[in-house]
Amino acid sequence: QVQLVESGGGVVQAGGSLRLSCAASARTFRDVVIAWWRQAPEKDREFVAATRWSGDSTGYGKFMKGRFAISTDNAKNTVYLQMNSLRPEDTADYYCAAKYGFNPDERGYNYWGQGTQVTVSS
């Protein structure tokens, strides 16, 4: 059982930055993988990035790495998504998700947060 709460969304101008936070609660964080997903209206949910809780392995969606960076702060039980050089096409609801596993990929997430909105304006 993993509980997730996202925060940090908002409105930002193109070229700006946001840092999203995912506060996690679990009986154990052993073998936990945390991911960020996003979903824009009328589009499929898109994998953004994932990290093992230990932080020793990360994965990114296609073309995500370079502008987005996922990181963990285990002392705060929090995973971050740093988003830089934002574009209007980054506008979406961003969700934090978790699974028990090893690979920081897009498969098998069964715990989800409520989402946080990100709007990038021109």
Side-chain angles (χ1 to χ4, degrees), residues 22-101:
C22 175
S25 178
R27 184 177 181 88
T28 177
F29 288 103
R30 181 180 180 182
D31 297 328
V32 166
V33 177
I34 304 292
W36 287 98
W37 295 71
R38 69 184 186 184
Q39 187 167 28
E42 301 183 3
K43 295 182 67 177
D44 291 335
R45 188 163 291 184
E46 181 182 23
F47 176 74
V48 177
T51 182
R52 295 182 68 194
W53 188 257
S54 64
D56 64 356
S57 183
T58 59
Y60 289 87
K62 188 176 182 180
F63 303 121
M64 298 294 180
K65 190 173 185 179
R67 296 193 300 119
F68 296 173
I70 191 168
S71 62
T72 61
D73 187 337
N74 295 153
K76 297 180 179 179
N77 287 350
T78 300
V79 175
Y80 301 101
L81 182 68
Q82 179 67 45
M83 306 190 295
N84 299 321
S85 301
L86 285 165
R87 306 163 182 168
E89 53 263 42
D90 294 320
T91 296
D93 291 333
Y94 284 73
Y95 296 89
C96 187
K99 65 179 179 181
Y100 284 100

Side-chain angles (χ1 to χ4, degrees), residues 4-9 20-22 36-39 45 92-97 112-118:
L4 306 166
V5 180
E6 303 97 327
S7 63
L20 306 182
S21 298
C22 175
W36 287 98
W37 295 71
R38 69 184 186 184
Q39 187 167 28
R45 188 163 291 184
D93 291 333
Y94 284 73
Y95 296 89
C96 187
W112 294 83
Q114 80 288 348
T116 185
Q117 293 184 23
V118 173

